[in-house]
Amino acid sequence: MSQALSFHVLGAGLAGTLSAIYLARRDAAVDVYERRADPRTEQGEGGRSINLALANRGRRALAGVGLERDIEALTIPMRGRMLHEVGKAPVLQPYGKDDSEVIYSISRAGLNALLLNQADAHGVGLHFEHRTEAVDVDTGEVLLTDPAGTRVALSGRPIIAADGGGSVVRRTLGRRPGALNSEVLSSHGYKELTIPAGPDGAFRIDPNALHIWPRGGFMMIALPNLDGSFTVTLFMAMNGENSFDELTDADQVSQFFEHWFPSAVPLLPDLLHDFFANPTGELGTVRCAPWHADDKAVLIGDAAHAIVPFHGQGMNCAFEDCFELDRCLFDIEAPSLADRFAEFERRRRPNANAIADMAIENYIEMRESVRDPYFHLKKALAFELERRFPGDFVPRYSMVMFHHIPYAEAQRRGVIQQSILDELLLEHPRELPLGDIDYGHAEALIREQLADAPGLV
Ligand code: FAD
C-alpha cells in the first residue's frame, strides 16, 4: 500500500507485538491495547507455559524485523527428543538430519519483553490494562475499559485482532450469518512443574534436548531455561483413569509420580507445591471463518487458530501470520484493504487448519508412537530417503519445523510419504537396524507420487 496507514491492535501477546513492529516499520501509526498490566513491570505469571519451542517459521518472522541476534541471547538449542522410559537409560532421538536442524527453547516472558521493547522503540503506542469488551465489526468500533474502569471507545482505524484463544473479535465475527466459530476443548489438560537448577546454576539433565517421559495415554515433557532450570509440563486426561481428577491429594500425587515417573521424582523437589499451586490448564483447537470483516478487522495468531501445543507450532504459526500479513498489506497488488485482508485469509486459513490437525496427531506421536520400534525404523528410513533424495523427500516433522513450505502442503506430502515408507518396509523386520531397502523402487515411488509438488523451501 502506498499511503501510510494506522491500526488498532488488540492484544499485546506474541502476535500482537510482532505485528505492531511490522506495521510500524512500514510507517503505520499503531496503538496496541492489552488487558493485562505491562509484564515488564511484573513478576512472571505462574501456571502459564514459561518457555516455548521456537522453530524456523518463527525465527524467520523475527528475523524479518531484525531480531535474529537478540533472539539468540534468549534461546537454548534442542537437537532432539530425549526419551525417558521406565527402567531404561535416556535415549536421544535427533529431530533433524544433522546438527543444523534443531529447535530452540525460549522464555515466553523474555521474548514478550523483547518484542514490547522493540515496539516501544518503533514508536508503537502501548496501552496496558485496557480490556476489549466489545467490537462492532461493521463499523470497526472497539469498546474498552481503561485502568480506572472507564469505558473508552475507539474508531476510525482497522483492527488487528491478536487477543488470543478467547478472542472477543473472533466470537463477534462468529455470530455473523454464515460464519463459523468452532472452539473444541481437548479432553486432556496440562500442569506445569519445575526442575530447579543444580548447584551453581548447573543443568541437572541434558540442556540441549526436549525431554519426554512418554507413558502411552499421557506424558511429561521438560524444556530448558537459561537459568539452569527446566519447565516441566505434565499432559494428561482431565478425567477417567490416570487423569488430573484422580490426583487430588499429596499421597495420590506422590504415588502417581513414583509409579510413572520414578527417574524424574528426584529432579522435582517442589513437586507437591507446584502441583497444587499451579492451575490445571485447558487445551483446545479453534477453527473459524471468516478471519476478517471487510476492511474493518482481521484475526491473527491464536485469535484465529488456537491449536494444541504438541507440535510446538502455535507461536510459530502466529509469527508466520505476522510475516504474511505484512506481505499482504504492503507487497502485493490489491485494490483495497479488504482485498488485502481477504488475501491474507486465503493464504493462511488452510494452513492454520492443517497445523491444527498435525498438532493433534503429534500428541499420539509424543506420548505413544515414540515407544514403538517401528516408529524409529520409519524415522531412520525417512532420514535416509532425505539424504538420498534431498528436496524431494523431507520427513514431515522436518517440513513443519525446519522449512517454510505451507503447512497444508507438508500435511499432504506427509500422508503420501507415510505410505511410501510403509510400502518400502513391507518385508522388513519391524525394528532397527535399517536393512536392505530397494532404493530404486523408493526413487520411482517418490518421482511418481511427489513429483507434482512445488520445490521445498
Ligand atoms: P497470546 O499469547 O495468548 O496473546 C493474546 C494477548 O491478548 C494476551 O496478552 C492477552 O492478555 C490479550 N487479551 C486477551 N483478551 C483480551 C481483551 N479482551 N482485551 C485486551 N487484551 C486481551 N507455541 C509454540 O510455537 N511452541 C511451543 O512450544 C508452545 N508451547 C505451548 C505450551 C502450552 C502449554 C500452551 C498452552 C501453548 C503453547 N504454545 C506454543 C502456543 C503459544 O503459546 C501460542 O500459540 C501463542 O502464545 C499465541 O500468541 P498470540 O499472541 O496469538 O496469543
Side-chain angles (χ1 to χ4, degrees), residues 10-17 33-36 48-49 51-55 108 112 130-133 144 162-168 190 192 210 223 233 235 282-283 300-309 311-319:
L10 306 181
L14 300 174
T17 45
Y33 295 88
E34 164 62 43
R35 72 176 170 195
R36 296 195 194 136
R48 282 203 86 188
S49 171
N51 56 25
L52 301 153
L54 177 69
R108 182 192 286 274
N112 210 176
H130 279 73
R131 172 190 284 272
T132 303
E133 304 290 353
L144 299 138
D163 50 342
S167 171
V168 172
Y190 69 96
E192 285 167 5
L210 189 153
L223 275 74
T233 314
F235 293 97
E282 291 183 335
L283 301 168
I300 62 169
D302 278 14
H305 50 68
I307 60 177
V308 291
H311 221 306
Q313 280 291 311
M315 162 188 66
N316 287 285
C317 181
F319 282 171

